Amino acid sequence: MTKSEALFQRAVQVMPGGVNSPVRAFGSIGGTPKFITRAEGAYLYDEDGNQYIDYIGSWGPMILGHANGEVLGAVAEACKRGLSFGAATAPEVEMAELVCSLIPSIDMVRMVNSGTEAVMSAIRLARGYTKRNKIIKFTGCYHGHSDGLLVKAGSGAMTSGIPDSLGVPVGCTQDTLSAEYNHLESVEGHFQRCGEEIAAVIVEPVAANMGVVPPKPGFLEGLRRICDTYGALLIFDEVITGFRLGIDGAQGYYGVRPDLTTFGKIIGGGMPVGAYGGKREIMELVAPAGGVYQAGTLSGNPVAMAAGIAMLTILKKHPEYYQELDKKAEGFYGKMQEILKKSGQPYQINHVGSLGCLYFTSTEVADYESAKTSDTKAFASYCRYMVSHGIYLAPSQFEAMFLSMAHTEELLEQTLRQMEQYFCA
Ligand code: KE4
């Protein structure tokens, strides 16, 4: 029995599914999750001493690679001053000023502890600001696990949201409407039916929770236009894309300005940090300045701020990193395409900058329905092979691959060779 197997046996006795977040359990590909002891650069190391080239990067934060020296140093320094005070601190001001300087659509920002909390708070704020209750989300997009957003995928444009989890009362989802990603007409339909009741549209500007689905030309611009027409707010959930596609996120990359933006992952540099921000006139409604209540014991925690400030400062200082990541990704996915073409395996490859996904389908993947055509069994077999050969991929077809500055050409080549072994041997 491996150490990971032994740990997993213990884990399932005392933790639901043996993990603290479902996707880590390897449920959709089978097998035992690897218990990771440490990470450095592009590598993970598990309890049994196996080394992996990591394409998860903690689900996004590790854009510089794991254990970045400057980030670790900033955290170590902050720890010496104490871990948490529950009081105002200078690092929070520095972080807020940094975010406002980087994202033109943001005049004010509130720090929280996760992407879920950021989205939950932004939705409450949008409802408080517009005095409307309904929100639109897109089937296949994931915005964290707050009740109102756990809506059955594809619950149809005509019906109110149907809960997609036990324990979520229909009252929590009845004001959540589902639309179809890259299909503006499904959004128009909702607004024609009840536009005056819709507080906001929330969208992943690049959908990265049904694999990776880029917005079609005009989609984000269309959402902006529709929201302006009906007086609803446009919320960009940039928990994944924020500081990933560029220092000013997807809104900078695509040139569409939301009213509110949510962040997570990179903003915390690997520590538990989320944030939401936007126009001053909206943000000034957040307590204690205004009547939309939101609070958090560890919000703006000084150690977490040190990690986030260090990471964002490095990214701000090196805008060339994004060009390098884009170039690396172009080459990597281009060669991947050649391997898959040679293999005769039905495939689709979507990528936007360093975010990418290999689907096992011959259908172009541009929305939830087409993403679902992927052969998840074929994906599971591929993923198990790659993990067993030292390439650590997200254990689900409907997640993203994340490249980092630590993924050298040599490591990408090594990964492609393993893929060639699997598909073409
Ligand atoms: P967290 O609460 O997990 O920090 O963020 C929720 C969230 C919000 N918005 C988007 C676009 C997200 O992708 C996420 C979380 N992403 C998943 C990965 N697809 C986190 C991994 C996990 O759940 O363990």
Side-chain angles (χ1 to χ4, degrees), residues 292-325:
V292 175
Y293 193 71
Q294 182 266 307
T297 302
L298 295 174
S299 295
N301 171 275
V303 177
M305 293 298 98
I309 291 166
M311 183 165 279
L312 295 190
T313 302
I314 294 166
L315 293 170
K316 180 178 182 179
K317 211 184 291 178
H318 296 283
E320 75 280 6
Y321 283 2
Y322 292 104
Q323 282 79 16
E324 281 176 42
L325 281 169

Side-chain angles (χ1 to χ4, degrees), residues 157-211:
M158 298 297 284
T159 54
S160 298
I162 303 161
D164 193 19
S165 164
L166 293 179
V168 176
V170 71
C172 293
T173 55
Q174 63 190 20
D175 288 319
T176 307
L177 305 173
S178 292
E180 300 316 311
Y181 198 83
N182 276 329
H183 295 276
L184 278 174
E185 70 283 358
S186 69
V187 181
E188 291 272 13
H190 282 309
F191 275 96
Q192 278 153 18
R193 277 187 295 279
C194 54
E196 303 313 315
E197 300 174 63
I198 298 173
V201 174
I202 184 164
V203 67
E204 290 181 62
V206 174
N209 283 286
M210 46 175 149

Side-chain angles (χ1 to χ4, degrees), residues 17 57 76 83 96 98 100 162 178 209 260 280 289 314 355 374:
L83 299 182
L98 186 51
C100 293
I162 303 161
S178 292
N209 283 286
L260 290 173
R280 183 177 305 280
I314 294 166
L355 265 184
S374 188

Side-chain angles (χ1 to χ4, degrees), residues 368-415:
Y368 180 68
E369 287 311 314
S370 47
K372 276 198 317 180
T373 65
S374 188
D375 179 343
T376 52
K377 286 196 172 55
F379 172 83
S381 160
Y382 156 70
C383 191
R384 281 197 304 274
Y385 174 90
M386 295 297 275
V387 172
S388 64
H389 287 76
I391 311 295
Y392 196 77
L393 302 177
S396 159
Q397 169 65 85
F398 303 112
E399 297 289 354
M401 279 180 91
F402 296 88
L403 299 187
S404 82
M405 291 306 294
H407 286 81
T408 61
E409 288 307 330
E410 165 50 31
L411 293 180
L412 298 176
E413 271 308 311
Q414 201 178 314
T415 303

Side-chain angles (χ1 to χ4, degrees), residues 107-121:
D107 302 329
M108 298 187 98
V109 64
R110 168 61 60 89
M111 307 313 294
V112 293
N113 302 282
S114 69
T116 293
E117 201 182 349
V119 169
M120 180 176 72
S121 309

